[in-house]
Amino acid sequence: MASQQQQLQPGGPMSQPGLQQSASIQQQQQQLSQQQDFDPVHRFKMLIPQLKESLQNLMKIASLNLAHNTSIDNGIKSSDASVQRFDKSLEEFYALCDQLELCLRLAYECLSQSIDSAKHSPNLVPTATKPDTVQTESMSYTQYLGMIKSQISCAKDIHNALLECSKKIAGKGQPQGIL
């Protein structure tokens, strides 16, 4: 009887594994939400309903302001009644549009980098630790070394071109008599 009461109590031994499990589930959900916050496509999808709501609010305020100004122009109402500010709701709408634009630009940059990465290093090199996962698309180590050597050569060419250009620029800045 005493062991049953201990198990049913909030601090009993049965509740601790459940608490640990729920804590680990919460940590996983937080990590997932943090990863999704950095994903521009997910962020874009999350901002669309806010943008729709902001646009609806903007149109409603514009309609109310137009009706209020019309009634003032017709002499029905005085201008004492307070109306919501159109400019604030417009700024909110533009701020959401700017955030959406940034999300789309970031998503485009991520896609461009992914495409460039696949273009310049399309094949994987098989590792010695996982020989069973060798893919038919993977390149041999000698092929990989050749690719790396060509990338190093290209980087050196770019470096030399930049040095040459900087020397030419520095040479033009000096007076003619010193050369």
Side-chain angles (χ1 to χ4, degrees), residues 61-72:
I61 290 173
S63 169
L64 292 173
N65 284 346
L66 184 63
H68 179 74
N69 289 340
T70 303
S71 63
I72 289 173

Side-chain angles (χ1 to χ4, degrees), residues 66-122:
L66 184 63
H68 179 74
N69 289 340
T70 303
S71 63
I72 289 173
D73 289 344
N74 291 335
I76 299 170
K77 284 186 180 178
S78 65
S79 62
D80 295 340
S82 65
V83 290
Q84 292 180 332
R85 296 203 39 189
F86 178 75
D87 57 343
K88 287 186 179 181
S89 59
L90 186 63
E91 283 297 320
E92 178 187 337
F93 177 75
Y94 279 144
L96 285 170
C97 287
D98 290 343
Q99 288 179 22
L100 288 169
E101 181 182 5
L102 289 174
C103 287
L104 289 174
R105 285 184 183 187
L106 182 59
Y108 179 76
E109 278 297 316
C110 290
L111 179 65
S112 296
Q113 286 183 359
S114 176
I115 290 171
D116 288 343
S117 176
K119 178 181 169 186
H120 296 295
S121 181

Side-chain angles (χ1 to χ4, degrees), residues 21-164:
Q21 202 172 30
S22 66
S24 68
I25 291 172
Q26 288 176 347
Q27 286 176 344
Q28 290 173 354
Q29 289 174 346
Q30 287 174 349
Q31 289 173 350
L32 181 63
S33 69
Q34 287 174 351
Q35 288 173 352
Q36 290 174 345
D37 286 344
F38 294 120
D39 181 19
V41 175
H42 178 72
R43 178 121 171 91
F44 179 84
K45 288 178 182 179
M46 297 297 289
L47 286 173
I48 291 294
Q50 292 177 13
L51 183 70
K52 287 180 181 178
E53 183 180 323
S54 177
L55 182 60
Q56 288 173 349
N57 187 35
L58 179 68
M59 292 298 139
K60 182 179 99 176
I61 290 173
S63 169
L64 292 173
N65 284 346
L66 184 63
H68 179 74
N69 289 340
T70 303
S71 63
I72 289 173
D73 289 344
N74 291 335
I76 299 170
K77 284 186 180 178
S78 65
S79 62
D80 295 340
S82 65
V83 290
Q84 292 180 332
R85 296 203 39 189
F86 178 75
D87 57 343
K88 287 186 179 181
S89 59
L90 186 63
E91 283 297 320
E92 178 187 337
F93 177 75
Y94 279 144
L96 285 170
C97 287
D98 290 343
Q99 288 179 22
L100 288 169
E101 181 182 5
L102 289 174
C103 287
L104 289 174
R105 285 184 183 187
L106 182 59
Y108 179 76
E109 278 297 316
C110 290
L111 179 65
S112 296
Q113 286 183 359
S114 176
I115 290 171
D116 288 343
S117 176
K119 178 181 169 186
H120 296 295
S121 181
N123 301 321
L124 301 174
V125 177
T127 60
T129 58
K130 296 180 183 177
D132 58 336
T133 60
V134 174
Q135 300 172 350
T136 58
E137 300 173 357
S138 64
M139 58 174 52
S140 69
Y141 187 70
T142 55
Q143 291 173 328
Y144 177 73
L145 284 178
M147 182 183 70
I148 295 299
K149 286 179 182 177
S150 69
Q151 288 177 348
I152 291 172
S153 172
C154 182
K156 283 182 181 178
D157 291 344
I158 292 171
H159 177 73
N160 291 338
L162 289 172
L163 281 176
E164 210 174 290

